[in-house]
């Protein structure tokens, strides 16, 4: 079940098809991509003594070498540990130690920052261009070395560290079978992929965007990395028509920037076939605008590191079908369970909640992780009874559409009543003076917590708490309205485009 088998098969079927592109420039054909992966695997074994099942970490911004390194690691039967390139070097070093990786493949700048913190016995190979990398990629493949090492269905393939908003990050063990289930569900529920398509990696490859490589490898499609190595809306809109038939994953905050940029340029996102969005809440006002500006290019997924990209999907036609009587409600949902997955909502008493009643979302199915790395206590807690506890709160409607209300830990409890920040954020975003909003609870002597809002005003607008108060009172219950507003130029976001409520909480603690 080794994903490197998929690469080998595609390389034999389409040896001369472009595989890896930097911008629009082809860096490798499929035959070359597979040969490099086999050479890296031979080098990992012969030069670095990496045995099947061992972990090899990756610490670099998006680059075509990311895919070469990943497939080299898998070809050797080892597991990849993708590290968020924006972490502090000490955090990256902690992940190296915890995962017991002996080797990290790192870009030059990140390797330099990491060196003083590198745990004893861990080797760093710098990419691209270092002698060590050149030697690795040029390692002669021994007889039979073009065949990837076998990985069992329950073998570790991807050891992904949670963002660790509470305590230390945990290593999520994603197996070969998890990857296969995720990939199968993609073809069943998210999108088709054609040989002539291009996967454009604008979001970090260490996360969901990287996991969407498999479908494109299977079809022998192209993989393009933008020259900036990251998310730049203008660059994407420029590259897409030149690449054609582009597929990309984007966090909702990235979609927002892309739509603003397309509208400002008078375009509609030409060249982009599919934008899969997810990883954080997409506000209804934002997706309505996105479809109005860019048309039916959007599919939503809901997933988490522990069930990667694969819990629910909201299909393209449901996102775009304005004629459907339930269009608005469905647009505010994350869709229905993906085909191999099952969903449950548990109410406060631990019973299955009735339709419309919010509770904790549980998920089961072959995409759910094997557990947390070297952490049986956390594993038992997360997977008790064979269901993954997502930590998200949501409700199902009678047709099986799931609506997320919030992360359980973000729920504000004021005067003993639950307030879901997302509902307040949705209301604020409907005001024309608001570009972005984040709502959270601030300690309050009498009520436990009170609602406060951080607002990024729209271009040319100023924060007007009185107008926003009236606007909220017209839309949501009075007790849910923010009691204080803070204007900010931007909201703090992590590398994956998620709004960092912990950073905002710290800001609140510093505010008198
Ligand atoms: P991560 O494990 O970093 O991928 O984060 C997963 C979390 O992101 C989930 O548990 C949700 O809280 C959130 N999330 C993922 N997809 C969506 C979505 N489509 N809408 C809202 N929140 C989402």
């Amino acid at each position: 079940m080794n994903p490197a088998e998929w690469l080998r098969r595609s390389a034999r079927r389409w040896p001369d098809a472009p595989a890896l592109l930097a911008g629009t420039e082809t860096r490798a054909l499929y035959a070359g991509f597979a040969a490099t992966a086999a050479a890296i695997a031979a080098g990992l074994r012969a030069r670095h003594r990496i045995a099947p099942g061992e972990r090899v970490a990756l610490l670099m911004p998006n680059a075509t070498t990311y895919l070469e390194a990943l497939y080299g690691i898998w070809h050797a039967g080892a597991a990849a540990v993708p590290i968020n390139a924006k972490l502090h070097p000490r955090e990256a070093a902690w992940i190296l130690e915890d995962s017991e990786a002996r080797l990290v493949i790192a870009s030059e700048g990140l390797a330099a920052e990491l060196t003083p913190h590198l745990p004893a016995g861990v080797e760093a190979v710098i990419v691209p261009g270092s002698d060590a990398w050149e030697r690795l990629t040029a390692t002669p493949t021994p007889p039979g070395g073009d065949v990837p090492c076998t990985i069992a269905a329950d073998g570790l393939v991807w050891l992904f560290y949670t963002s660790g908003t509470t305590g230390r990050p945990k290593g999520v063990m994603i197996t070969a079978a998890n990857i296969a289930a995720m990939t199968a569900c993609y073809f069943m529920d998210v999108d088709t992929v054609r040989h002539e398509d291009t996967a454009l990696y604008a979001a970090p490859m260490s996360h969901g965007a990287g996991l969407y490589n498999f479908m494109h490898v299977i079809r022998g499609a192209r993989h393009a990395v933008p020259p900036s190595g990251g998310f730049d809306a203008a660059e994407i809109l420029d590259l897409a028509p030149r690449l054609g038939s582009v597929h990309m994953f984007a966090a909702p905050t990235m979609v927002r920037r892309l739509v603003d940029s397309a509208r400002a340029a008078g375009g509609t996102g030409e060249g982009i076939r599919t934008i899969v969005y997810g990883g954080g809440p997409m506000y209804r006002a934002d997706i309505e605008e996105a479809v109005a500006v860019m048309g039916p290019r959007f599919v939503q997924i809901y997933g988490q590191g522990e069930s990667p990209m694969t819990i629910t999907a909201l299909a393209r036609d449901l996102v775009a079908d304005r004629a459907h009587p339930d269009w608005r409600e469905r647009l505010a949902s994350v869709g229905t369970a993906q085909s191999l997955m099952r969903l449950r909502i548990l109410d406060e008493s631990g019973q299955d909640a009735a339709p419309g009643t919010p509770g904790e979302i549980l998920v089961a199915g072959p995409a759910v992780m094997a557990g947390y790395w070297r952490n049986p206590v956390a594993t038992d807690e997360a997977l008790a009874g064979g269901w993954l506890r997502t930590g998200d709160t949501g409700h199902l409607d009678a047709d099986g559409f799931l609506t997320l209300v919030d992360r359980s830990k973000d729920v504000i409890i004021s005067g003993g009543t639950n307030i879901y920040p997302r509902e307040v954020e949705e209301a604020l975003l409907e005001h024309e003076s608001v570009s972005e909003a984040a709502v959270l609870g601030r300690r309050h002597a009498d009520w436990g917590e009170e609602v406060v809002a951080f607002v990024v005003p729209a271009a040319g607008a100023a924060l007007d708490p009185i107008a926003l108060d009236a606007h909220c009172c017209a839309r949501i219950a009075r007790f849910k309205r923010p009691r204080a507003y803070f204007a900010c130029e931007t909201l703090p976001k992590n590398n994956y485009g998620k709004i960092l409520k912990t950073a905002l909480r710290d800001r609140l603690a510093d505010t008198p």
Side-chain angles (χ1 to χ4, degrees), residues 194-275:
R194 300 163 309 178
H195 180 56
E196 59 274 22
D197 290 347
T198 304
L200 182 63
Y201 297 90
M205 294 169 94
S206 55
H207 205 260
L211 286 172
Y212 274 174
N213 86 80
F214 301 107
M215 306 75 190
H216 296 85
V217 162
I218 286 172
R219 291 280 181 266
R222 293 171 298 170
H223 306 259
V225 177
S228 69
F231 181 86
D232 175 334
E235 181 184 44
I236 292 165
L237 294 172
D238 170 62
L239 275 176
R242 293 194 283 138
L243 289 166
S245 203
V246 160
H247 163 283
M248 56 186 275
F249 174 76
T253 50
M254 295 173 182
V255 171
R256 167 94 222 194
R257 278 149 68 196
L258 204 58
V259 170
D260 287 347
S261 203
R263 202 192 26 224
T268 63
E270 290 83 353
I272 300 177
R273 192 165 76 81
T274 306
I275 297 176

Side-chain angles (χ1 to χ4, degrees), residues 2 9 14 48 70 73 76 81 111 155 168 185 189 200 207 215 235 237 251 263 384 403 413 418 450:
N2 189 338
R9 190 181 60 190
W14 297 289
H48 301 279
L70 276 178
I73 292 166
V81 186
R168 284 286 195 192
C185 277
D189 305 307
L200 182 63
H207 205 260
M215 306 75 190
E235 181 184 44
L237 294 172
R263 202 192 26 224
T403 301
I413 305 179
N418 284 4
E450 64 175 352

Side-chain angles (χ1 to χ4, degrees), residues 16-30 64 222-223:
D16 301 325
L20 306 177
L21 287 82
T24 54
E25 192 186 307
T26 301
R27 290 286 167 85
L29 306 177
Y30 262 89
T64 51
R222 293 171 298 170
H223 306 259

Side-chain angles (χ1 to χ4, degrees), residues 207 278-281 300-306 334 390 392 404 407 422 498:
H207 205 260
Q300 180 175 203
I301 61 98
Y302 159 52
Q304 58 176 203
E306 290 83 346
V334 291
T390 61
D392 292 318
L404 294 194
R407 294 286 303 161
R422 173 148 183 195
K498 280 188 213 285

